[in-house]
Amino acid sequence: MRTTVVALVGAVLLTGGLAACSGEAPSSTPTAPEIKPVAETALAAPAASGDQPKGITYDVKRIPVGAKLSTGSSVENGQTTVELKVTGLLPNTKYGSHVHTKPCGAKPADSGPHYQNEKDPVTPSVDPKFANAENEIWLDFTTDAQGAATGRATVKWEFRKGEANAVIVHAAHTSTEHGKAGTAGDRLACLTAQF
């Protein structure tokens, strides 16, 4: 019995030693998916008429003209990751953010409702069964002392083509409370981004 154990331990050590000498990389944890850019721009005020800027601020006190938003996404193994990076916002401030269905318009409501994987038959959607971080893309963030931050979300589904067209930044982190689920205060800024 003792000889067998010693032989097994020796074999394990020898095998481990050979693998280490062979130049094979040890197995590692999976890396985060590579985010591919979708849209990036400095924010402007809405145009009085006609075509709108790609990025719009609706509240210049809370999100100044010139602040920058950039977003990107990655799809891998049926999962979607979306990232939002912001600079030039108010320092040390909480904001909510979601992917919406329509491009930015002159008015905050023009970008439509949140994109939902499973659509709520009731609008506006405030039922936590539909308005939740697994069925929508929630990118809430808190800025640092310089007014910069990154929000990121990963969900177990892929966008339907042509149905996700903007990222909205809201005035507060997203509520999960029944009857208020998915709400995050005023729409402060919008970035047209076709996912």
Side-chain angles (χ1 to χ4, degrees), residues 2-26:
R2 195 167 181 200
T3 307
T4 305
V5 171
V6 170
L8 283 173
V9 170
V12 168
L13 290 174
L14 183 61
T15 305
L18 288 174
C21 294
S22 69
E24 290 178 25

Side-chain angles (χ1 to χ4, degrees), residues 105-175:
K107 297 178 182 169
D110 290 346
S111 58
H114 296 177
Y115 178 93
Q116 293 183 324
N117 183 48
E118 183 183 347
K119 293 181 182 180
D120 188 341
V122 177
T123 303
S125 179
V126 291
D127 180 345
K129 178 181 174 188
F130 297 96
N132 63 65
E134 286 79 41
N135 194 44
E136 300 181 347
I137 300 288
W138 292 6
L139 301 162
D140 293 7
F141 58 88
T142 302
T143 54
D144 64 16
Q146 287 72 46
T150 299
R152 182 183 271 230
T154 300
V155 291
K156 295 178 180 177
W157 43 263
E158 297 178 28
F159 288 118
R160 293 179 295 277
K161 190 172 172 100
E163 293 187 34
N165 292 290
V167 175
I168 293 285
V169 177
H170 292 267
H173 279 181
T174 309
S175 176

Side-chain angles (χ1 to χ4, degrees), residues 43-44 54-60 62-64 67-69 84 86 89 95-98 100 104-105 108 111 141 166-171 186-192:
L43 300 178
K54 189 176 191 175
I56 299 172
T57 177
Y58 302 110
D59 186 330
V60 297
R62 293 192 274 184
I63 300 188
K68 290 184 181 171
L69 303 182
L84 173 68
V86 303
L89 277 62
Y95 293 92
S97 183
H98 315 108
H100 284 244
C104 305
S111 58
F141 58 88
V167 175
I168 293 285
V169 177
H170 292 267
D186 293 342
R187 298 181 188 200
L188 304 181
C190 181
L191 175 63
T192 295

Side-chain angles (χ1 to χ4, degrees), residues 80-105:
T80 301
T81 298
V82 178
E83 184 177 82
L84 173 68
K85 292 185 177 183
V86 303
T87 57
L89 277 62
L90 297 178
N92 306 311
T93 303
K94 292 179 180 180
Y95 293 92
S97 183
H98 315 108
V99 172
H100 284 244
T101 58
K102 297 180 182 176
C104 305

